[in-house]
Amino acid sequence: QVQLVESGGGSVQAGGSLRLSCAASGVTFRGYVMGWFRQAPGKERDFVAAMSGGSGTRYADSVKGRFTISRDNDKNTVYLQMNSLKPEDTAVYLCAGRRGFFVDSRDPYKDWGQGTQVTVST
């Protein structure tokens, strides 16, 4: 059974940085696409970034140049380095995963973590 556990959220001032981590268990990590989504109160869940078990990455336009996704396949962990944070980045950040190999696929993510809160103040 797949389990995803996020960590690293917190509160920072605008312009600051945070690094989120998501540890996965119960999957063959190299055949598992992992991504980050976020959801602010009263808003829809938005895609943020994804990375395949190879090297493919994809980012939402709103975070390009500021966020970097990476993963350590040996540790079954994916990271989201968030720099130059803005108040509009405030949300619950959710780790997600799906079996597959390509980040450009529009297949739905099957597995979800519980989320970690990121709050960016002015």
Side-chain angles (χ1 to χ4, degrees):
Q1 188 166 343
V2 177
Q3 185 176 16
L4 305 176
V5 180
E6 304 98 330
S7 62
S11 298
V12 297
Q13 293 188 4
S17 298
L18 286 172
R19 190 183 74 159
L20 306 182
S21 299
C22 177
S25 62
V27 298
T28 301
F29 203 61
R30 289 188 180 273
Y32 194 67
V33 177
M34 297 193 69
W36 291 95
F37 292 75
R38 64 188 183 186
Q39 187 166 21
K43 293 183 170 59
E44 294 182 346
R45 184 180 63 208
D46 292 328
F47 170 80
V48 176
M51 191 170 189
S52 70
S55 60
T57 60
R58 183 166 68 92
Y59 296 92
D61 289 341
S62 59
V63 306
K64 286 181 179 177
R66 299 189 298 121
F67 291 10
T68 302
I69 189 170
S70 62
R71 61 192 284 167
D72 186 333
N73 290 333
D74 293 332
K75 296 181 179 179
N76 286 8
T77 300
V78 65
Y79 306 93
L80 186 68
Q81 179 66 46
M82 305 184 294
N83 298 327
S84 301
L85 283 162
K86 304 174 181 179
E88 51 262 45
D89 295 319
T90 295
V92 173
Y93 282 71
L94 299 160
C95 180
R98 57 176 172 85
R99 289 177 169 81
F101 297 93
F102 306 105
V103 296
D104 58 343
S105 174
R106 298 178 68 176
D107 293 340
Y109 286 80
K110 178 182 177 181
D111 308 308
W112 295 86
Q114 294 299 306
T116 185
Q117 177 70 47
V118 171
T119 302
V120 184
S121 61
T122 59

